[in-house]
Amino acid sequence: MASFNIKVPNKFLPGVGQQNYATIKTNLANLKSSIGSIVTECSTMSNVPEELIYSFILGLSNGVNNTAYKTRDLNPATHGFDPLVRSGYFALSNKIAKIILAKEMIGKRMTATEKAYLRGQDPVIAEYISDTKGTKAYNEYWYSDFNVGLDRINDKINPINLLNPKTSIALGTIWIGQLWDKFSEQTLNPLDKVIVTLFLPYQGWAQNWNGGNNFMQYENWRDDFCNPKFKGRLPKPADKMASGNIINPNGGWVGESLNLIMGEGGTLWSLTS
C-alpha cells in the first residue's frame, strides 16, 4: 500500500469558520466515544490512518449510523437512476460493498486478519470471501452467476448488514486504501481525488470505476482540485439535493466537502493539528 501523505490545511481552501470548527470538534469527540475502538481496529488492520476514517465517516454520513435513505446514484447506461440503498457509517450500498470485496480479492490484497474480521461480522461476507470457491473467479462487474457462485453484484440479493458498524467501517476503510493506492500511481497528493471519487454518486456498471464515481478517471491526477483553477471543473448542480451532488443524506457540493475535510479547522486539521 502507498504511504499516506496527509498535508492540511490545503493552501487553496478557505477555513471552515469558528462555528463549524466547534461543531466538527464536538462531532469528532462523540464519534471517538461511540466507535473509537472500531476505528482503531480497522485502522490497524488495514493500515489506513484513523484521521482519514473519521473524516470520511463525518463527510459521508454525518457520523450517524444511517438507516436506508433515498439514493442519488446514477446509471448513465440506462440514462436513469440506479436504485441503490445506502446505509451505515460509510453510506455504502450492498452493490458497492460487494465491489469493494471483489476488488480486494481480485488483487489478492485482503490479509488473513481482514478476512477473519469480516467473516466474523456477517455470514453473507463469510460465504462471499470463502476459501472454498475453487475455480470460481472474482469479477467486480459480475455479469455472470458463475462468478463466485453467490450472486451477481447486486444491491438486493443476499444483502450484507451494513448497519453493523464493524462491517461498514471495515469495508469503508478498505475502500479508502484501494483508491489511495490507485491515485498514488500518478500523484503524491491523492486525498482530494479520493474524496471526490467516494463522495460523488455511483454511476452504474457501464462506467463503474473502483466502486465509485468515475469523474476522476478522465482527469489529470496531478491537478489539485482544491485549487480554484481546477475546482471549477467539479460537478456542481444548482440544487444541493440533485443527483450529481454528494451522497451524504443532506446532499451538497463536493467542493465544500474538500474544504470541510482539508481546510483549516476541518476534520483532518482538527485531528492532526
Side-chain angles (χ1 to χ4, degrees):
M1 179 175 286
S3 60
F4 287 89
N5 178 30
I6 302 174
K7 295 181 179 179
V8 291
N10 184 285
K11 64 181 180 180
F12 294 112
L13 294 173
V16 300
Q18 189 61 39
Q19 184 173 352
N20 285 333
Y21 171 64
T23 300
I24 287 170
K25 292 287 284 186
T26 299
N27 290 340
L28 287 171
N30 291 338
L31 275 181
K32 287 182 177 182
S33 175
S34 60
I35 59 171
S37 61
I38 300 174
V39 170
T40 298
E41 285 177 342
C42 294
S43 171
T44 302
M45 180 171 61
S46 299
N47 193 32
V48 173
E50 290 188 26
E51 295 84 355
L52 284 178
I53 300 172
Y54 282 118
S55 295
F56 278 81
I57 287 173
L58 271 184
L60 288 164
S61 67
N62 301 324
V64 176
N65 194 22
N66 289 303
T67 54
Y69 63 90
K70 187 177 180 179
T71 181
R72 286 186 296 282
D73 297 288
L74 291 170
N75 188 346
T78 60
H79 304 287
F81 289 93
D82 204 13
L84 304 183
V85 177
R86 291 183 177 268
S87 59
Y89 280 109
F90 262 86
L92 295 171
S93 75
N94 261 270
K95 188 181 187 77
I96 292 170
K98 292 172 183 178
I99 291 171
I100 294 168
L101 286 169
K103 195 163 193 69
E104 201 75 351
M105 298 300 286
I106 291 166
K108 298 182 179 179
R109 296 168 50 102
M110 191 173 290
T111 65
T113 303
E114 288 172 323
K115 287 180 183 178
Y117 187 89
L118 285 165
R119 287 168 178 165
Q121 302 311 315
D122 195 302
V124 175
I125 295 179
E127 171 65 16
Y128 220 68
I129 58 175
S130 169
D131 289 330
T132 62
K133 294 298 182 188
T135 59
K136 293 188 182 296
Y138 285 92
N139 182 328
E140 62 185 296
Y141 302 102
W142 252 329
Y143 301 143
S144 168
D145 284 332
F146 173 82
N147 292 300
V148 180
L150 179 63
D151 64 23
R152 297 174 183 174
I153 285 191
N154 192 291
D155 204 40
K156 300 176 179 64
I157 299 173
N158 294 316
I160 297 166
N161 178 16
L162 294 169
L163 289 175
N164 178 341
K166 289 191 174 186
T167 299
S168 178
I169 295 170
L171 290 172
T173 300
I174 288 170
W175 199 16
I176 293 171
Q178 287 176 352
L179 286 168
W180 197 279
D181 283 353
K182 184 67 178 176
F183 289 117
S184 293
E185 293 171 5
Q186 294 186 27
T187 179
L188 295 175
N189 298 295
L191 180 54
D192 56 318
K193 273 68 74 172
V194 175
I195 293 170
V196 172
T197 303
L198 264 72
F199 278 52
L200 287 176
Y202 175 80
Q203 291 185 296
W205 64 265
Q207 296 187 43
N208 170 59
W209 196 66
N210 289 271
N213 188 278
N214 75 331
F215 172 80
M216 281 296 170
Q217 181 178 4
Y218 306 108
E219 297 293 325
N220 186 338
W221 296 352
R222 293 181 179 86
D223 291 344
D224 182 350
F225 283 83
C226 299
N227 186 333
K229 179 180 178 181
F230 307 111
K231 195 174 184 181
R233 297 213 302 264
L234 295 173
K236 190 178 182 181
D239 177 4
K240 73 174 185 176
M241 298 301 288
S243 59
N245 275 322
I246 63 172
I247 61 172
N248 178 289
N250 298 327
W253 181 44
V254 71
E256 295 167 347
S257 297
L258 292 175
N259 189 38
L260 287 172
I261 293 177
M262 300 178 67
E264 185 173 353
T267 51
L268 277 177
W269 189 89
S270 300
L271 288 161
T272 58
S273 63

